Amino acid sequence: MPDPELKPTPPPGRRGADWILLDKVAYIADRRNGTTAEGFTHAGQAVQVTLWLADPPGSSHLLVHCPGLNKADFSVVPATIVCSDKDVAILQIHFPSCPSINPVDREQCRYFVYTADHDHPSLDLLPVPIPLCYGNDELGLLPTSSIVLRQHSFPLGTGDYNLHVFSSKTWAWSTRLARLALKPNNGALPLCHTTHEVIVLDGSTLGFVDLWDGILCCRVDDDDDESPVLPLRLIRLPPPMQINTSMFDRASGIRDVVCVDGVIKFVEIANRKRLVLSEPGHDLVSHKSVLHDWELDELASSVADDTKDPYVYACDGWVAVTWNRQTGSDQWLRDCQVDADDVTVSSPKHFDLLPQLFSSHSAGKLKLNKNVPMFAPTFVPQDRGVAYLMCCLEIMDKTACVVLAIDTREKTLQALSFSTQRDSDLFRAYRPYALSKHMSMAPRNSRVGCSVRKRDYAKTVLTDTTILVHGLDARLTD
Protein backbone atom coordinates (compact mmCIF):
# COMPACT_ATOMS: atom_id res chain seq x y z
CA MET A 1 0.00 0.00 0.00
CA PRO A 2 1.63 3.27 -1.07
CA ASP A 3 2.13 6.07 1.36
CA PRO A 4 -0.15 9.07 0.94
CA GLU A 5 1.23 12.24 -0.55
CA LEU A 6 1.53 14.15 2.70
CA LYS A 7 2.09 17.87 2.78
CA PRO A 8 4.82 19.36 4.97
CA THR A 9 3.94 20.03 8.58
CA PRO A 10 2.21 23.43 8.81
CA PRO A 11 3.92 26.12 10.85
CA PRO A 12 2.87 26.68 14.48
CA GLY A 13 -0.23 28.83 14.85
CA ARG A 14 -1.86 27.67 11.60
CA ARG A 15 -5.58 27.12 12.19
CA GLY A 16 -7.42 24.86 9.79
CA ALA A 17 -11.03 23.72 9.56
CA ASP A 18 -12.69 22.43 12.73
CA TRP A 19 -13.90 19.34 10.83
CA ILE A 20 -11.97 16.98 8.61
CA LEU A 21 -12.77 14.20 6.17
CA LEU A 22 -10.79 11.31 7.67
CA ASP A 23 -9.85 8.40 5.43
CA LYS A 24 -11.37 5.28 7.00
CA VAL A 25 -8.36 3.12 6.08
CA ALA A 26 -5.11 3.97 7.88
CA TYR A 27 -1.65 3.89 6.36
CA ILE A 28 1.38 2.06 7.72
CA ALA A 29 4.04 4.76 7.88
CA ASP A 30 6.61 6.10 10.36
CA ARG A 31 5.95 9.85 10.18
CA ARG A 32 5.55 11.94 13.30
CA ASN A 33 4.24 15.36 14.12
CA GLY A 34 2.50 17.11 17.00
CA THR A 35 -0.42 14.65 16.89
CA THR A 36 1.66 11.49 17.47
CA ALA A 37 0.69 9.26 20.41
CA GLU A 38 1.98 5.85 21.53
CA GLY A 39 0.41 2.82 23.21
CA PHE A 40 1.07 -0.89 23.75
CA THR A 41 -0.72 -4.19 23.27
CA HIS A 42 -1.03 -6.74 26.09
CA ALA A 43 2.03 -8.50 24.68
CA GLY A 44 4.06 -5.28 24.77
CA GLN A 45 3.99 -4.41 21.05
CA ALA A 46 4.41 -0.64 20.69
CA VAL A 47 1.95 1.22 18.45
CA GLN A 48 2.36 4.82 17.30
CA VAL A 49 -0.52 6.76 15.74
CA THR A 50 -0.24 10.07 13.88
CA LEU A 51 -2.84 12.30 12.23
CA TRP A 52 -2.03 14.10 8.97
CA LEU A 53 -4.57 16.88 8.63
CA ALA A 54 -5.98 18.52 5.51
CA ASP A 55 -8.84 20.98 5.12
CA PRO A 56 -11.97 19.63 3.34
CA PRO A 57 -12.56 18.64 0.64
CA GLY A 58 -9.07 17.21 0.99
CA SER A 59 -8.76 13.91 2.88
CA SER A 60 -6.95 13.60 6.20
CA HIS A 61 -5.09 10.42 7.06
CA LEU A 62 -4.24 8.33 10.09
CA LEU A 63 -0.75 6.82 10.09
CA VAL A 64 0.08 3.72 12.14
CA HIS A 65 3.63 2.61 12.95
CA CYS A 66 4.62 -0.50 14.92
CA PRO A 67 8.36 -0.49 15.70
CA GLY A 68 9.93 -3.75 14.59
CA LEU A 69 7.29 -4.38 11.90
CA ASN A 70 7.51 -3.36 8.26
CA LYS A 71 4.70 -2.26 5.99
CA ALA A 72 5.08 -5.50 4.02
CA ASP A 73 4.25 -7.50 7.17
CA PHE A 74 0.67 -6.17 7.25
CA SER A 75 -2.36 -7.09 5.20
CA VAL A 76 -3.91 -4.88 2.52
CA VAL A 77 -6.14 -3.19 5.14
CA PRO A 78 -4.01 -3.25 8.31
CA ALA A 79 -5.86 -0.58 10.28
CA THR A 80 -9.25 1.11 10.01
CA ILE A 81 -11.05 3.97 11.72
CA VAL A 82 -14.00 2.43 13.56
CA CYS A 83 -15.69 5.61 14.81
CA SER A 84 -15.00 9.04 16.24
CA ASP A 85 -16.72 11.80 18.13
CA LYS A 86 -15.34 15.14 19.29
CA ASP A 87 -11.73 14.51 20.38
CA VAL A 88 -11.82 10.68 20.42
CA ALA A 89 -11.32 8.11 17.66
CA ILE A 90 -11.36 4.32 17.89
CA LEU A 91 -9.21 2.35 15.50
CA GLN A 92 -8.85 -1.34 14.81
CA ILE A 93 -5.43 -2.79 14.01
CA HIS A 94 -5.12 -6.25 12.49
CA PHE A 95 -1.68 -7.51 13.44
CA PRO A 96 0.19 -9.78 11.02
CA SER A 97 1.26 -13.38 11.48
CA CYS A 98 4.96 -12.68 10.94
CA PRO A 99 7.43 -14.33 13.36
CA SER A 100 8.77 -10.95 14.53
CA ILE A 101 5.59 -10.27 16.51
CA ASN A 102 4.61 -11.87 19.82
CA PRO A 103 2.40 -14.97 19.31
CA VAL A 104 -0.25 -13.38 21.57
CA ASP A 105 -0.85 -10.64 18.96
CA ARG A 106 -0.44 -12.69 15.78
CA GLU A 107 -3.51 -12.56 13.51
CA GLN A 108 -5.41 -10.67 16.20
CA CYS A 109 -7.53 -7.52 15.94
CA ARG A 110 -6.83 -5.00 18.70
CA TYR A 111 -8.84 -1.86 19.40
CA PHE A 112 -7.23 1.40 20.48
CA VAL A 113 -8.69 4.71 21.63
CA TYR A 114 -6.92 7.76 20.24
CA THR A 115 -7.62 10.92 22.26
CA ALA A 116 -6.72 14.20 20.58
CA ASP A 117 -5.09 16.94 22.63
CA HIS A 118 -2.95 19.90 21.61
CA ASP A 119 -0.31 19.07 24.22
CA HIS A 120 -0.60 15.37 25.08
CA PRO A 121 -2.50 13.13 22.65
CA SER A 122 -2.90 9.60 23.99
CA LEU A 123 -3.42 6.05 22.73
CA ASP A 124 -5.12 3.48 25.00
CA LEU A 125 -5.65 -0.23 24.44
CA LEU A 126 -9.25 -1.42 24.86
CA PRO A 127 -10.09 -4.71 26.60
CA VAL A 128 -11.32 -7.43 24.28
CA PRO A 129 -14.79 -6.26 23.21
CA ILE A 130 -18.09 -7.99 23.89
CA PRO A 131 -19.31 -9.18 21.45
CA LEU A 132 -15.91 -10.35 20.26
CA CYS A 133 -16.62 -9.54 16.62
CA TYR A 134 -18.72 -6.72 15.24
CA GLY A 135 -18.80 -4.56 12.15
CA ASN A 136 -16.76 -1.37 12.17
CA ASP A 137 -19.90 0.60 11.30
CA GLU A 138 -21.78 -0.60 14.40
CA LEU A 139 -19.84 1.16 17.13
CA GLY A 140 -20.77 4.59 18.47
CA LEU A 141 -19.40 6.97 21.11
CA LEU A 142 -20.99 8.90 23.95
CA PRO A 143 -19.22 11.20 26.43
CA THR A 144 -18.77 8.34 28.91
CA SER A 145 -19.60 5.19 26.93
CA SER A 146 -19.20 3.30 23.65
CA ILE A 147 -21.90 1.06 22.16
CA VAL A 148 -22.48 -1.57 19.42
CA LEU A 149 -25.94 -2.34 18.04
CA ARG A 150 -26.54 -5.66 16.30
CA GLN A 151 -29.58 -7.70 15.36
CA HIS A 152 -29.68 -11.42 14.73
CA SER A 153 -31.51 -12.79 11.72
CA PHE A 154 -33.80 -14.93 13.85
CA PRO A 155 -36.38 -14.62 15.15
CA LEU A 156 -37.64 -12.02 12.71
CA GLY A 157 -39.75 -9.14 13.91
CA THR A 158 -38.75 -9.13 17.59
CA GLY A 159 -38.18 -5.86 19.39
CA ASP A 160 -35.65 -7.02 22.01
CA TYR A 161 -31.95 -6.34 21.62
CA ASN A 162 -28.76 -6.68 23.63
CA LEU A 163 -26.96 -3.44 24.33
CA HIS A 164 -23.21 -4.00 24.88
CA VAL A 165 -21.60 -1.12 26.75
CA PHE A 166 -17.97 -0.41 27.55
CA SER A 167 -17.50 2.22 30.27
CA SER A 168 -14.32 4.21 30.68
CA LYS A 169 -15.20 4.73 34.34
CA THR A 170 -15.23 1.01 35.20
CA TRP A 171 -12.97 -0.02 32.27
CA ALA A 172 -15.25 -3.02 31.70
CA TRP A 173 -17.98 -4.31 29.43
CA SER A 174 -21.60 -4.88 30.40
CA THR A 175 -24.76 -5.98 28.60
CA ARG A 176 -28.22 -4.47 28.98
CA LEU A 177 -31.60 -5.19 27.44
CA ALA A 178 -33.02 -2.67 24.97
CA ARG A 179 -36.54 -2.91 23.55
CA LEU A 180 -38.32 -1.40 20.58
CA ALA A 181 -42.03 -1.24 21.33
CA LEU A 182 -44.58 -1.65 18.57
CA LYS A 183 -46.96 1.30 18.33
CA PRO A 184 -50.41 0.79 16.83
CA ASN A 185 -49.92 3.61 14.31
CA ASN A 186 -46.24 2.95 13.61
CA GLY A 187 -46.53 -0.16 11.45
CA ALA A 188 -44.49 -3.36 11.79
CA LEU A 189 -41.13 -3.65 13.49
CA PRO A 190 -38.10 -3.79 11.19
CA LEU A 191 -37.40 -7.42 10.30
CA CYS A 192 -33.65 -6.85 10.04
CA HIS A 193 -31.84 -3.73 11.17
CA THR A 194 -28.40 -3.38 9.55
CA THR A 195 -26.32 -0.61 11.09
CA HIS A 196 -24.45 1.32 8.39
CA GLU A 197 -23.32 4.16 10.67
CA VAL A 198 -23.84 5.52 14.19
CA ILE A 199 -24.60 9.17 14.92
CA VAL A 200 -24.90 11.15 18.16
CA LEU A 201 -28.37 12.67 18.51
CA ASP A 202 -27.66 14.52 21.77
CA GLY A 203 -25.36 14.23 24.78
CA SER A 204 -26.68 10.81 25.83
CA THR A 205 -28.53 9.39 22.80
CA LEU A 206 -27.06 7.42 19.93
CA GLY A 207 -28.77 6.73 16.62
CA PHE A 208 -27.98 3.44 14.88
CA VAL A 209 -28.67 4.15 11.24
CA ASP A 210 -29.94 1.61 8.75
CA LEU A 211 -29.70 3.74 5.62
CA TRP A 212 -32.48 1.80 3.93
CA ASP A 213 -34.90 1.67 6.84
CA GLY A 214 -34.41 4.09 9.72
CA ILE A 215 -32.63 5.17 12.90
CA LEU A 216 -32.90 3.20 16.14
CA CYS A 217 -32.47 5.76 18.93
CA CYS A 218 -31.15 4.65 22.32
CA ARG A 219 -30.69 6.94 25.32
CA VAL A 220 -28.12 5.81 27.88
CA ASP A 221 -27.74 7.79 31.11
CA ASP A 222 -25.08 7.03 33.70
CA ASP A 223 -27.60 7.51 36.51
CA ASP A 224 -30.10 5.13 34.90
CA ASP A 225 -28.13 1.89 35.36
CA GLU A 226 -30.89 0.31 37.42
CA SER A 227 -33.49 0.49 34.65
CA PRO A 228 -34.19 -3.13 33.59
CA VAL A 229 -35.03 -2.24 29.98
CA LEU A 230 -33.80 0.65 27.85
CA PRO A 231 -36.46 1.90 25.43
CA LEU A 232 -35.64 2.20 21.74
CA ARG A 233 -37.34 4.57 19.32
CA LEU A 234 -37.45 4.12 15.55
CA ILE A 235 -37.24 7.08 13.17
CA ARG A 236 -38.05 5.94 9.66
CA LEU A 237 -36.01 7.44 6.81
CA PRO A 238 -37.61 8.73 3.61
CA PRO A 239 -38.06 5.92 1.05
CA PRO A 240 -35.40 5.63 -1.65
CA MET A 241 -35.83 7.30 -5.01
CA GLN A 242 -37.19 4.89 -7.59
CA ILE A 243 -33.95 4.78 -9.55
CA ASN A 244 -32.10 3.64 -6.40
CA THR A 245 -34.35 0.72 -5.44
CA SER A 246 -31.97 -1.76 -7.09
CA MET A 247 -28.95 -0.54 -5.09
CA PHE A 248 -29.81 -2.30 -1.86
CA ASP A 249 -26.22 -3.38 -1.15
CA ARG A 250 -24.76 0.10 -1.81
CA ALA A 251 -26.59 2.22 0.73
CA SER A 252 -23.53 4.18 1.86
CA GLY A 253 -22.84 5.07 -1.76
CA ILE A 254 -26.07 7.01 -2.19
CA ARG A 255 -27.35 8.06 1.30
CA ASP A 256 -26.03 9.74 4.44
CA VAL A 257 -27.40 10.99 7.78
CA VAL A 258 -25.95 13.43 10.35
CA CYS A 259 -27.33 15.28 13.35
CA VAL A 260 -26.40 18.91 14.06
CA ASP A 261 -27.75 20.85 17.06
CA GLY A 262 -30.81 18.62 17.41
CA VAL A 263 -31.58 18.60 13.66
CA ILE A 264 -31.26 15.34 11.69
CA LYS A 265 -30.06 15.95 8.13
CA PHE A 266 -30.58 13.30 5.45
CA VAL A 267 -29.29 13.29 1.85
CA GLU A 268 -29.77 10.90 -1.07
CA ILE A 269 -28.23 11.07 -4.53
CA ALA A 270 -29.42 9.28 -7.67
CA ASN A 271 -27.57 8.99 -10.98
CA ARG A 272 -29.84 9.09 -14.00
CA LYS A 273 -29.13 6.57 -16.76
CA ARG A 274 -29.67 6.39 -20.49
CA LEU A 275 -29.20 3.58 -23.01
CA VAL A 276 -26.48 4.16 -25.62
CA LEU A 277 -24.76 1.99 -28.18
CA SER A 278 -21.54 0.47 -26.96
CA GLU A 279 -18.39 2.22 -28.06
CA PRO A 280 -16.76 1.04 -31.33
CA GLY A 281 -13.68 0.07 -29.37
CA HIS A 282 -15.65 -2.79 -27.82
CA ASP A 283 -16.23 -4.38 -31.26
CA LEU A 284 -14.14 -7.43 -32.12
CA VAL A 285 -12.65 -6.03 -35.33
CA SER A 286 -13.01 -2.26 -34.93
CA HIS A 287 -9.38 -1.88 -33.93
CA LYS A 288 -7.95 -4.05 -36.73
CA SER A 289 -6.58 -2.73 -40.00
CA VAL A 290 -5.69 -6.16 -41.48
CA LEU A 291 -7.61 -9.45 -41.27
CA HIS A 292 -5.80 -12.70 -42.10
CA ASP A 293 -7.64 -15.76 -43.37
CA TRP A 294 -6.53 -17.79 -40.33
CA GLU A 295 -8.29 -15.24 -38.08
CA LEU A 296 -11.68 -15.32 -39.81
CA ASP A 297 -12.84 -18.73 -38.51
CA GLU A 298 -12.02 -17.78 -34.95
CA LEU A 299 -13.72 -14.38 -35.29
CA ALA A 300 -16.79 -15.94 -36.92
CA SER A 301 -17.11 -18.34 -33.98
CA SER A 302 -16.70 -15.52 -31.48
CA VAL A 303 -19.34 -13.40 -33.17
CA ALA A 304 -21.79 -16.32 -33.21
CA ASP A 305 -21.29 -16.88 -29.47
CA ASP A 306 -21.48 -13.19 -28.59
CA THR A 307 -24.97 -12.51 -27.27
CA LYS A 308 -24.14 -9.33 -25.38
CA ASP A 309 -26.58 -6.46 -25.61
CA PRO A 310 -25.11 -3.82 -27.97
CA TYR A 311 -26.59 -1.16 -25.70
CA VAL A 312 -25.04 -0.09 -22.40
CA TYR A 313 -26.11 2.29 -19.65
CA ALA A 314 -24.40 5.66 -19.39
CA CYS A 315 -24.74 8.33 -16.73
CA ASP A 316 -27.09 11.16 -17.68
CA GLY A 317 -26.58 13.56 -14.78
CA TRP A 318 -27.60 13.24 -11.15
CA VAL A 319 -30.01 14.67 -8.60
CA ALA A 320 -29.54 15.05 -4.82
CA VAL A 321 -32.35 15.63 -2.32
CA THR A 322 -31.90 16.70 1.30
CA TRP A 323 -34.38 16.41 4.19
CA ASN A 324 -34.40 17.82 7.76
CA ARG A 325 -36.26 17.01 10.96
CA GLN A 326 -36.00 17.79 14.65
CA THR A 327 -34.99 14.78 16.77
CA GLY A 328 -38.33 14.92 18.60
CA SER A 329 -40.45 15.61 15.53
CA ASP A 330 -42.81 13.23 13.72
CA GLN A 331 -42.17 14.50 10.17
CA TRP A 332 -39.46 15.08 7.60
CA LEU A 333 -39.25 18.45 5.80
CA ARG A 334 -37.70 18.65 2.34
CA ASP A 335 -34.78 21.08 2.49
CA CYS A 336 -33.60 21.36 -1.08
CA GLN A 337 -33.08 19.51 -4.35
CA VAL A 338 -29.99 19.90 -6.53
CA ASP A 339 -29.71 18.75 -10.12
CA ALA A 340 -26.39 18.43 -11.90
CA ASP A 341 -27.70 20.84 -14.54
CA ASP A 342 -28.36 23.46 -11.85
CA VAL A 343 -24.88 23.54 -10.33
CA THR A 344 -22.95 26.66 -11.27
CA VAL A 345 -19.15 26.72 -11.39
CA SER A 346 -17.71 30.20 -11.20
CA SER A 347 -14.01 29.52 -10.75
CA PRO A 348 -12.03 28.71 -13.93
CA LYS A 349 -9.29 27.14 -11.81
CA HIS A 350 -11.50 24.07 -11.43
CA PHE A 351 -11.50 23.59 -15.19
CA ASP A 352 -7.74 24.06 -15.37
CA LEU A 353 -7.27 21.41 -12.67
CA LEU A 354 -9.73 18.79 -13.99
CA PRO A 355 -11.09 19.49 -17.49
CA GLN A 356 -12.50 15.92 -17.58
CA LEU A 357 -15.04 16.94 -14.96
CA PHE A 358 -16.62 19.65 -17.08
CA SER A 359 -18.47 19.53 -20.36
CA SER A 360 -18.16 23.16 -21.46
CA HIS A 361 -16.13 26.26 -20.78
CA SER A 362 -17.68 29.23 -22.56
CA ALA A 363 -18.79 32.73 -21.66
CA GLY A 364 -17.18 32.33 -18.26
CA LYS A 365 -19.57 29.50 -17.30
CA LEU A 366 -18.73 25.89 -16.57
CA LYS A 367 -21.02 22.88 -16.62
CA LEU A 368 -20.45 19.57 -14.93
CA ASN A 369 -19.90 16.61 -17.24
CA LYS A 370 -23.19 14.68 -17.18
CA ASN A 371 -21.34 11.45 -18.04
CA VAL A 372 -19.54 11.47 -14.65
CA PRO A 373 -21.62 9.72 -11.94
CA MET A 374 -21.47 10.96 -8.35
CA PHE A 375 -21.67 8.85 -5.20
CA ALA A 376 -21.00 8.74 -1.44
CA PRO A 377 -22.79 11.98 -0.41
CA THR A 378 -21.45 13.16 2.95
CA PHE A 379 -22.57 15.97 5.22
CA VAL A 380 -20.04 17.78 7.39
CA PRO A 381 -21.74 19.26 10.48
CA GLN A 382 -19.72 22.48 10.34
CA ASP A 383 -20.87 23.23 6.78
CA ARG A 384 -24.63 23.16 7.16
CA GLY A 385 -25.54 23.44 3.49
CA VAL A 386 -22.56 21.67 1.93
CA ALA A 387 -22.60 18.07 0.73
CA TYR A 388 -19.39 16.35 -0.31
CA LEU A 389 -19.69 14.07 -3.36
CA MET A 390 -17.17 11.64 -4.81
CA CYS A 391 -16.52 10.73 -8.43
CA CYS A 392 -13.88 8.69 -10.26
CA LEU A 393 -12.06 9.95 -13.35
CA GLU A 394 -9.63 8.30 -15.74
CA ILE A 395 -6.49 10.43 -15.64
CA MET A 396 -3.31 9.31 -17.43
CA ASP A 397 -4.56 5.69 -17.61
CA LYS A 398 -5.22 5.64 -13.88
CA THR A 399 -8.40 6.03 -11.87
CA ALA A 400 -8.36 9.12 -9.68
CA CYS A 401 -11.00 9.90 -7.08
CA VAL A 402 -12.17 13.47 -6.65
CA VAL A 403 -14.22 15.04 -3.86
CA LEU A 404 -16.54 17.92 -4.73
CA ALA A 405 -17.96 20.36 -2.19
CA ILE A 406 -21.46 21.28 -3.40
CA ASP A 407 -23.47 24.00 -1.67
CA THR A 408 -26.93 22.43 -1.85
CA ARG A 409 -28.73 25.71 -1.14
CA GLU A 410 -26.79 28.02 -3.43
CA LYS A 411 -26.31 25.16 -5.95
CA THR A 412 -22.68 25.99 -6.55
CA LEU A 413 -19.42 24.04 -6.72
CA GLN A 414 -17.34 25.50 -3.90
CA ALA A 415 -14.18 23.41 -4.08
CA LEU A 416 -12.74 20.11 -5.24
CA SER A 417 -9.78 17.97 -4.28
CA PHE A 418 -8.16 14.67 -5.14
CA SER A 419 -8.86 11.93 -2.63
CA THR A 420 -8.09 8.31 -1.87
CA GLN A 421 -10.51 5.50 -2.64
CA ARG A 422 -9.02 2.25 -1.44
CA ASP A 423 -12.39 0.75 -0.60
CA SER A 424 -14.88 -0.77 -3.02
CA ASP A 425 -16.42 1.53 -5.59
CA LEU A 426 -19.60 3.34 -4.55
CA PHE A 427 -18.76 3.08 -0.85
CA ARG A 428 -17.84 6.01 1.35
CA ALA A 429 -14.07 6.17 1.83
CA TYR A 430 -14.11 8.73 4.63
CA ARG A 431 -16.18 10.14 7.47
CA PRO A 432 -16.35 13.68 8.90
CA TYR A 433 -14.67 14.07 12.28
CA ALA A 434 -14.04 16.97 14.62
CA LEU A 435 -10.56 15.89 15.71
CA SER A 436 -8.81 18.73 13.92
CA LYS A 437 -10.01 21.46 16.29
CA HIS A 438 -8.36 19.59 19.15
CA MET A 439 -5.09 19.00 17.34
CA SER A 440 -2.08 20.76 15.87
CA MET A 441 0.47 19.18 13.57
CA ALA A 442 3.09 21.63 14.76
CA PRO A 443 5.88 19.82 16.65
CA ARG A 444 5.79 19.83 20.43
CA ASN A 445 8.70 19.99 22.85
CA SER A 446 8.40 16.28 23.56
CA ARG A 447 9.18 13.78 20.82
CA VAL A 448 6.00 11.74 21.23
CA GLY A 449 2.88 12.51 23.18
CA CYS A 450 2.20 9.30 25.10
CA SER A 451 -0.05 8.89 28.12
CA VAL A 452 0.22 5.10 28.29
CA ARG A 453 3.30 3.34 29.61
CA LYS A 454 4.22 -0.21 28.78
CA ARG A 455 3.64 -1.48 32.33
CA ASP A 456 0.67 0.52 33.49
CA TYR A 457 -1.59 0.68 30.43
CA ALA A 458 -4.35 -1.19 32.30
CA LYS A 459 -4.53 1.55 34.94
CA THR A 460 -5.14 4.31 32.40
CA VAL A 461 -8.79 5.33 31.98
CA LEU A 462 -10.43 7.81 29.68
CA THR A 463 -11.50 10.49 32.09
CA ASP A 464 -14.09 12.11 29.83
CA THR A 465 -14.95 9.40 27.33
CA THR A 466 -16.68 6.06 27.49
CA ILE A 467 -16.86 3.84 24.48
CA LEU A 468 -20.35 2.53 23.99
CA VAL A 469 -20.62 -0.53 21.82
CA HIS A 470 -24.25 -0.98 21.09
CA GLY A 471 -24.84 -4.48 19.81
CA LEU A 472 -28.49 -5.02 19.08
CA ASP A 473 -28.64 -8.80 19.30
CA ALA A 474 -32.23 -9.89 18.88
CA ARG A 475 -33.11 -12.15 21.82
CA LEU A 476 -34.55 -15.59 21.23
CA THR A 477 -38.03 -16.03 22.58
CA ASP A 478 -39.58 -19.18 23.89
Side-chain angles (χ1 to χ4, degrees), residues 119-363:
D119 299 319
H120 299 289
S122 62
L123 188 67
D124 300 278
L125 176 70
L126 280 182
V128 176
I130 300 174
L132 181 60
C133 297
Y134 55 83
N136 286 344
D137 295 326
E138 296 179 276
L139 193 144
L141 285 168
L142 285 179
T144 58
S145 308
S146 70
I147 307 177
V148 176
L149 179 67
R150 182 178 304 159
Q151 184 179 26
H152 288 174
S153 299
F154 298 97
L156 296 177
T158 63
D160 286 358
Y161 301 87
N162 284 332
L163 182 70
H164 305 285
V165 180
F166 175 81
S167 171
S168 63
K169 295 181 178 179
T170 63
W171 207 248
W173 291 92
S174 62
T175 301
R176 302 178 65 181
L177 175 64
R179 176 168 295 158
L180 176 62
L182 175 62
K183 295 182 179 179
N185 61 347
N186 198 32
L189 293 170
L191 294 181
C192 182
H193 183 92
T194 301
T195 301
H196 297 104
E197 57 183 281
V198 184
I199 61 177
V200 179
L201 299 176
D202 59 41
S204 57
T205 302
L206 285 181
F208 297 87
V209 181
D210 184 328
L211 288 170
W212 283 117
D213 184 68
I215 307 171
L216 279 175
C217 309
C218 181
R219 185 177 183 86
V220 181
D221 293 318
D222 290 341
D223 55 358
D224 194 28
D225 293 340
E226 300 302 324
S227 176
V229 179
L230 290 174
L232 298 175
R233 182 170 67 97
L234 177 64
I235 298 177
R236 297 280 187 184
L237 292 178
M241 288 185 262
Q242 186 175 9
I243 196 173
N244 285 334
T245 53
S246 62
M247 300 185 65
F248 183 78
D249 60 339
R250 309 222 172 190
S252 65
I254 58 175
R255 305 184 124 201
D256 188 33
V257 177
V258 298
C259 186
V260 184
D261 298 331
V263 177
I264 303 174
K265 298 171 62 68
F266 169 76
V267 61
E268 180 179 3
I269 190 169
N271 290 285
R272 293 188 293 266
K273 300 177 182 179
R274 70 180 187 276
L275 277 175
V276 297
L277 281 170
S278 60
E279 297 179 5
H282 294 164
D283 191 84
L284 288 171
V285 296
S286 61
H287 64 287
K288 289 181 174 290
S289 57
V290 176
L291 283 174
H292 298 280
D293 287 341
W294 57 268
E295 294 179 284
L296 295 178
D297 289 338
E298 180 180 349
L299 288 174
S301 176
S302 299
V303 171
D305 294 338
D306 190 5
T307 58
K308 293 182 179 179
D309 193 330
Y311 291 90
V312 296
Y313 280 106
C315 182
D316 190 28
W318 50 266
V319 59
V321 179
T322 64
W323 297 81
N324 292 340
R325 74 179 284 162
Q326 299 288 332
T327 54
S329 174
D330 62 354
Q331 60 183 359
W332 287 96
L333 301 176
R334 182 189 288 264
D335 185 19
C336 57
Q337 178 172 319
V338 183
D339 193 285
D341 294 331
D342 300 332
V343 178
T344 60
V345 186
S346 57
S347 176
K349 67 180 182 180
H350 298 322
F351 179 84
D352 297 335
L353 180 64
L354 284 174
Q356 302 92 329
L357 188 59
F358 306 98
S359 58
S360 65
H361 183 226
S362 60

Side-chain angles (χ1 to χ4, degrees), residues 9 12 32-38 49-50 114-122 438-451:
T9 300
R32 303 180 184 185
N33 58 33
T35 72
T36 304
E38 185 177 37
V49 170
T50 301
Y114 177 86
T115 304
D117 183 88
H118 286 295
D119 299 319
H120 299 289
S122 62
H438 302 277
M439 300 300 298
S440 172
M441 289 170 58
R444 302 185 307 275
N445 293 330
S446 58
R447 184 173 60 92
V448 175
C450 172
S451 70

